[in-house]
Amino acid sequence: MELVREKRYEVLDGLRGVAAIGVMLMHYSENTGHRLFTHADIAVDLFFILSGFVLMHSYRSKLLLGLSAREYVKKRIIRLYPMFAISMAIGIPALIAAALIGLANYPLRSIIVASLDNLLFLPYLGDHGVANMVSTAAHLPVEKYTVGEIFPANPSAWSLFFEMVASIALLVLIRLQRRDLIKLIIVSAILLFGTGVLLGVENKNAIPVFFGAGWGTRNFFAGFIRVAYGFSMGVLIYSLHETQTPLKFGKVLSVIVRSDIALYLLFAIAIAFPFGIKGLYPMAVIFFVAPLMVYCGANLQPTGRVGARLAHFLGWLSYPIYCLHSPIGRLVFMYFPGSEHRPGQAIALSVALTIAISVIATRLLEEPVRAYLTRKFSSRKRAGLKAEPVV
């Protein structure tokens, strides 16, 4: 009997890769005075929307037809954890090095506790600080440290915790009627805006509405609202796509976005936009532009063989780049000679090393480990099927 291959949304894979690269460049340039992709934190909201869409596509039918919750969660852990573990193997020594040279005020005991929590995929709710992407010669004052990162050895991994929470929530979301799903999205959107206003009042930079919550101790609980909105929106978009329900605004965007390359460029421009307009700009992207991009991207095909290869490569690299870039960049900026005076060179070296290590780690470590764990712990054979998408 011939096995049926699942449809793969290749353009959405490519879009995820563009988003991951934008996040990497934003973090690498955050302390250089010339920040790149200013609004790349919006990419995390795109990741959550994509997760809802792709997990619905990959697992809805299987869960409704008998795949157990235990088996499903096991598959999600196997998919997410190996690369995360690799990132922690780099990130823990990097955090210790930062503390030893005075670029972090974490005592050794706190590093141990935080690392153990994080290795269990749990957040560490501490109040210590670290200087990210800074040279040993920069002498950054303690008051400018990033305080309270819930994954201090790998700051970007905060969203992976919420990704696992959302993955478990899918077990309930797949059984909701569309009207109930819409109610959930409306409520979470209102709460997201409300917490954004409250966090904006507290924010020292006086941003009226702050949507970048979830990464730190002080805004940790708002992360649940952020992922609830994004993930449930992705679930709804998949439902609309599956039933071929037309969207008026979707038609408008589809006139502008006629190809995969146009979609990638539009999102790159969206996260590179230099003005926040008092929080209104990220709000517009999160609530309108990003969902419509996913809706339109699901209906696009790669432009020829080159477009398909580009989409595959970007999607394949997106998760390792996202996982590995923070600890790698932290090490490069700490020890690259003169990185405070030549930030462009430090950024270029960090990007090159991140891509190279991502390729090597994925090929030689992550993929073999995932294949082994799948053979050992999965109760169903996957031969002949495409690998589960990274979400």
Side-chain angles (χ1 to χ4, degrees), residues 102 105 129-131 139-147 204-205 218:
N105 59 13
V130 61
H139 304 297
L140 193 71
V142 174
E143 57 268 20
K144 290 188 177 294
Y145 284 8
T146 304
V147 177
K204 294 181 180 180
N205 293 323
R218 293 181 180 178

Side-chain angles (χ1 to χ4, degrees), residues 26-295:
M26 178 191 71
H27 285 155
Y28 286 167
S29 61
E30 62 185 341
N31 286 316
T32 65
H34 302 283
R35 198 177 189 190
L36 303 172
F37 293 99
T38 307
H39 286 102
D41 53 340
I42 296 171
V44 174
D45 300 280
L46 179 77
F47 292 149
F48 291 149
I49 296 172
L50 286 170
S51 294
F53 184 99
V54 177
L55 289 184
M56 274 287 284
H57 170 66
S58 299
Y59 286 109
R60 179 178 180 272
S61 296
K62 296 171 186 174
L63 287 167
L64 293 176
L65 291 175
L67 179 67
S68 70
R70 180 180 178 181
E71 184 71 13
Y72 162 69
V73 172
K74 192 188 302 180
K75 289 177 182 293
R76 295 302 296 141
I77 293 173
I78 290 173
R79 188 64 191 93
L80 295 175
Y81 196 84
M83 184 56 71
F84 167 73
I86 294 170
S87 76
M88 291 295 287
I90 301 172
I92 293 172
L95 180 60
I96 293 172
L100 290 175
I101 62 178
L103 288 178
N105 59 13
Y106 280 82
L108 181 59
R109 180 177 178 178
S110 295
I111 293 176
I112 293 172
V113 173
S115 299
L116 290 175
D117 283 351
N118 292 169
L119 286 170
L120 293 173
F121 240 12
L122 297 173
Y124 170 71
L125 302 180
D127 58 357
H128 303 292
V130 61
N132 290 313
M133 314 307 165
V134 172
S135 165
T136 56
H139 304 297
L140 193 71
V142 174
E143 57 268 20
K144 290 188 177 294
Y145 284 8
T146 304
V147 177
E149 290 171 326
I150 63 173
F151 280 77
N154 184 3
S156 299
W158 70 267
S159 65
L160 302 183
F161 166 77
F162 289 105
E163 176 67 36
M164 277 304 304
V165 171
S167 295
I168 295 170
L170 183 71
L171 296 168
V172 175
L173 294 177
I174 58 172
R175 292 173 170 81
L176 291 184
Q177 298 293 324
R178 186 179 293 179
R179 64 177 179 274
D180 296 322
L181 188 60
I182 292 173
K183 290 177 183 178
L184 173 61
I185 292 171
I186 292 172
V187 170
S188 59
I190 293 171
L191 291 174
L192 183 60
F193 177 78
T195 55
V197 172
L198 293 176
L199 289 170
V201 171
E202 187 180 319
N203 193 290
K204 294 181 180 180
N205 293 323
I207 301 174
V209 188
F210 177 74
F211 290 101
W215 60 267
T217 301
R218 293 181 180 178
N219 55 52
F220 168 66
F221 291 102
F224 289 100
I225 301 172
R226 188 176 180 183
V227 72
Y229 166 77
F231 192 82
S232 56
M233 176 62 79
V235 171
L236 176 64
I237 293 171
Y238 180 77
S239 175
L240 296 173
H241 170 76
E242 188 181 35
T243 56
Q244 298 183 342
T245 304
L247 295 178
K248 292 182 180 179
F249 291 108
K251 290 182 178 179
V252 172
L253 188 61
S254 64
V255 172
I256 302 172
V257 180
R258 295 179 176 271
S259 70
D260 51 343
I261 303 301
L263 182 68
Y264 303 158
L265 288 174
L266 181 62
F267 186 73
I269 291 170
I271 60 177
F273 189 71
F275 307 109
I277 314 177
K278 298 185 180 299
L280 296 178
Y281 177 75
M283 181 174 69
V285 175
I286 292 168
F287 289 155
F288 300 104
V289 178
L292 289 175
M293 283 186 174
V294 175
Y295 178 84

Side-chain angles (χ1 to χ4, degrees), residues 8-15 264 300-302 308 311-312 386:
R8 191 175 185 101
Y9 293 92
E10 296 171 296
V11 173
L12 295 184
D13 286 345
L15 182 62
Y264 303 158
L300 289 174
Q301 296 295 325
H312 173 75
K386 289 186 178 181

Side-chain angles (χ1 to χ4, degrees), residues 358-377:
S358 293
V359 171
I360 294 169
T362 302
R363 286 293 191 201
L364 299 184
L365 294 174
E366 194 251 7
E367 288 182 339
V369 168
R370 275 200 297 119
Y372 169 77
L373 292 175
T374 300
R375 289 194 304 269
K376 185 173 179 62
F377 294 109

